[in-house]
Amino acid sequence: MTLRAALCCLAAAAALLPPPDAAGAERPVPVEAQLRDILERPLFARSRQPGGGPVEATVAARPPDAIVREPRAVPAEDIAVQVMGVLIAPPTRKALLRFGDAPPEWLAEGASAEGWRVSVVEEAGVVLSGTAGDVRLDLHEPPR
């Protein structure tokens, strides 16, 4: 590359840059304003926009055959399971369940373990179906 070609490339690049006074017009936002903006945005909202951001879309309604009847009470000694977490990322719906002292395992809706079937996975808990009937377990409920 010749010196002339290099100077032409530099001139073309300089022409693309904004004028010096336009670049100097951008002033940094004061720290207080930045902190106020951070505090106004909800920490766990997906959008982190002031005011809570857009309302998240609701999960599609379940077909009528998937609706579970009202869970009935099952005596505490009949089930030894704890809901450690839930994962809802359509179309996936899983629950992290610990049966007794066994290590926790992820079970999808419809999967079975220890004689219980995961009927419904919701944000607040899980409905399990078994021979003793249906039981609703809340997320982070102490082990039974």
Side-chain angles (χ1 to χ4, degrees), residues 57-139:
T58 57
V59 178
R62 297 179 182 281
D65 59 338
I67 295 175
V68 178
R69 60 192 172 279
E70 185 65 29
R72 61 187 176 95
V74 176
E77 58 271 2
D78 287 353
I79 181 170
V81 63
Q82 181 181 10
V83 181
M84 306 293 292
V86 294
L87 171 67
I88 300 176
T92 304
R93 298 176 77 85
K94 293 181 178 181
L96 183 61
L97 302 175
R98 180 188 346 219
F99 291 92
D101 293 331
E105 61 181 305
W106 286 100
L107 296 173
E109 280 185 342
S112 298
E114 303 289 326
W116 293 94
R117 186 176 64 83
V118 179
S119 298
V120 179
V121 175
E122 300 171 340
E123 290 180 11
V126 177
V127 177
L128 299 177
S129 300
T131 56
D134 294 344
V135 62
R136 175 171 173 61
L137 299 172
D138 293 328
L139 183 61

Side-chain angles (χ1 to χ4, degrees), residues 21-89:
D21 57 305
E26 295 178 22
R27 293 203 170 135
V29 179
V31 173
E32 294 81 16
Q34 291 176 3
L35 290 174
R36 184 183 62 246
D37 288 345
I38 291 170
L39 293 174
E40 288 177 354
R41 294 180 182 144
L43 181 60
F44 295 104
R46 289 184 184 188
S47 66
R48 288 201 36 95
Q49 297 298 316
V55 177
E56 294 182 17
T58 57
V59 178
R62 297 179 182 281
D65 59 338
I67 295 175
V68 178
R69 60 192 172 279
E70 185 65 29
R72 61 187 176 95
V74 176
E77 58 271 2
D78 287 353
I79 181 170
V81 63
Q82 181 181 10
V83 181
M84 306 293 292
V86 294
L87 171 67
I88 300 176

